[in-house]
Amino acid sequence: MGIMEAERKTTGWAARDPSGKLSPYTYTLRETGPEDVNIRIICCGICHTDLHQTKNDLGMSNYPMVPGHEVVGEVVEVGSDVSKFTVGDIVGVGCLVGCCGGCSPCERDLEQYCPKKIWSYNDVYIDGQPTQGGFAKATVVHQKFVVKIPEGMAVEQAAPLLCAGVTVYSPLSHFGLKQPGLRGGILGLGGVGHMGVKIAKAMGHHVTVISSSNKKREEALKDLGADDYVIGSDQAKMSELADSLDYVIDTVPVHHALEPYLSLLKLDGKLILMGVINDPLQFLTPLLMLGRKVITGSFIGSMKETEEMLEFCKEKGLSSIIEVVKMDYVNTAFERLEKNDVRYRFVVDVEGSNFDA
């Protein structure tokens, strides 16, 4: 538990500009403070947000930027006040590495809604240094934002759960949608959507996948276990589904009409938005008023929800459908992700990768 040298270095793959191309980058890793955990990174999932951030799609990117917020690794050092973890533990780190600790969301253990939350990367830590993500050999994180990976869960399977998994689990839990027998819709079958199908089915729901084409029908029904598959432009089928769903989880990250999916909700049904969209969305108010329907949003999940979700996935035997790649393939993986050419999540084998150019 001794303090290691102040100028400890590590290497990651970073974007240098809005081209989003990643290449090796060596930077200083901060000292392990009293409540910090030093983690040797084993693997890291690739999220669509990584693509947005590296390309400055949101207009707030700072470079050099090491992305990655679905991090799984091994504890190699703990601070003197760390009580939750010991050297050798397999742990995970998600989207956040800090919060203020004193606001209303923090007091309710909902740190993801803290106005001063600190992102895992493309942010500034309390020491004034930039945060860097999981496409790197190591990271140092406050123990509050580290979770244990359940024993027996494969590390590459655990990685996508730290963002995609908890992003779906959190609203189902918060809005009282965990009980069996509900009927739900999953709009969009990417990294988050495919976990939505798996988690909702494990909760005992009847799940309808709503997609833009037939390309993923067989996978949705056979591989993921969805009960029904509907193309959003099929007006006849959509009409049959009208007023039948308790909720729709909308994972689509681009501008789209909301009315077709609001019409699927029954009385008090909820349309839960999860896609990051910069353009305003529109809807007709009578569609809400005449069914007391709700349009709401949800953002990742709390640390408590993440721990709960991991235990749920272990208990139910849930896993992600992934493609494991090496770090030197990451730029190609980003290009494929931009074309939705992945089933359903890339995971970078950090431990087994060459960090040279």
Side-chain angles (χ1 to χ4, degrees):
M1 287 195 300
I3 298 296
M4 298 178 72
E5 62 274 12
E7 285 299 311
R8 178 170 48 191
K9 301 284 187 178
T10 194
T11 303
W13 274 51
R16 272 32 179 239
D17 55 53
S19 71
K21 184 177 180 180
L22 275 63
S23 59
Y25 169 62
T26 298
Y27 56 97
T28 299
L29 200 64
R30 78 168 189 270
E31 293 182 23
T32 305
E35 291 199 70
D36 287 338
V37 180
N38 183 4
I39 301 165
R40 177 183 64 83
I41 297 174
I42 299 172
C43 63
C44 184
I46 301 179
C47 175
H48 212 279
T49 301
D50 297 325
L51 194 60
H52 286 311
Q53 293 280 24
T54 56
K55 289 181 173 292
N56 198 28
D57 289 342
L58 304 178
M60 47 190 268
S61 296
N62 298 292
Y63 304 99
M65 179 200 303
V66 177
H69 60 229
E70 297 178 342
V71 185
V72 178
E74 179 186 4
V75 176
V76 296
E77 181 191 27
V78 296
S80 56
D81 295 338
V82 171
S83 57
K84 296 170 59 178
F85 307 100
T86 59
V87 171
D89 285 345
I90 302 300
V91 298
V93 179
C95 297
L96 303 178
V97 294
C99 64
C100 77
C103 66
S104 175
C106 285
E107 289 175 351
R108 297 166 59 193
D109 291 319
L110 296 169
E111 54 280 329
Q112 74 271 34
Y113 298 112
C114 171
K116 296 181 180 179
K117 59 184 168 288
I118 301 174
W119 302 100
S120 300
Y121 67 89
N122 193 34
D123 207 343
V124 179
Y125 199 61
I126 56 174
D127 60 2
Q129 297 302 307
T131 58
Q132 302 290 6
F135 294 2
K137 294 181 178 180
T139 187
V140 176
V141 181
H142 190 285
Q143 66 173 338
K144 177 177 175 62
F145 295 92
V146 180
V147 293
K148 279 187 181 178
I149 301 303
E151 189 174 346
M153 182 178 284
V155 290
E156 67 274 10
Q157 290 291 341
L161 300 179
L162 298 168
C163 175
V166 74
T167 293
V168 172
Y169 184 90
S170 176
L172 292 175
S173 177
H174 173 73
F175 292 115
L177 299 170
K178 290 171 66 176
Q179 67 269 32
L182 297 180
R183 300 178 71 88
I186 305 293
L187 176 57
L189 199 59
V192 174
H194 101 281
M195 285 309 307
V197 175
K198 288 193 160 218
I199 288 174
K201 285 298 298 179
M203 290 177 175
H205 298 180
H206 181 284
V207 178
T208 297
V209 170
I210 309 161
S211 191
S212 58
S213 74
N214 258 324
K215 285 195 304 182
K216 298 179 181 178
R217 178 184 293 272
E218 185 172 351
E219 296 167 36
L221 298 175
K222 292 185 178 179
D223 298 340
L224 301 179
D227 299 286
D228 200 0
Y229 187 98
V230 179
I231 299 174
S233 59
D234 185 342
Q235 295 184 4
K237 186 65 175 177
M238 292 286 280
S239 294
E240 289 178 19
L241 281 175
D243 303 312
S244 69
L245 302 182
D246 295 287
Y247 65 87
V248 172
I249 291 178
D250 182 348
T251 72
V252 177
V254 296
H255 189 276
H256 58 287
L258 298 183
E259 283 92 343
Y261 314 110
L262 288 169
S263 69
L264 304 183
L265 298 173
K266 60 174 66 170
L267 178 66
D268 292 326
K270 294 176 175 62
L271 176 61
I272 305 168
L273 303 180
M274 294 184 175
V276 178
I277 304 169
N278 283 337
D279 298 320
L281 300 179
Q282 294 180 320
F283 59 90
L284 300 174
T285 58
L287 280 173
L288 297 186
M289 297 161 57
L290 297 178
R292 203 165 61 189
K293 299 173 184 180
V294 176
I295 298 175
T296 187
S298 183
F299 178 63
I300 50 174
S302 68
M303 299 311 299
K304 284 190 174 181
E305 287 171 326
T306 302
E307 292 171 344
E308 189 178 302
M309 175 274 306
L310 287 170
E311 288 301 326
F312 175 85
C313 290
K314 180 189 177 184
E315 176 190 339
K316 299 294 184 179
L318 297 187
S319 60
S320 314
I321 296 179
I322 61 173
E323 181 177 338
V324 178
V325 300
K326 302 293 187 184
M327 191 68 75
D328 59 9
Y329 187 82
V330 71
N331 288 307
T332 302
F334 271 41
E335 291 171 6
R336 288 178 52 194
L337 177 60
E338 198 164 21
K339 300 172 185 174
N340 293 318
D341 178 23
V342 58
R343 299 293 185 273
Y344 283 92
R345 204 69 153 185
F346 285 116
V347 176
V348 180
D349 173 13
V350 175
E351 182 181 48
S353 290
N354 181 356
F355 275 75
D356 297 328

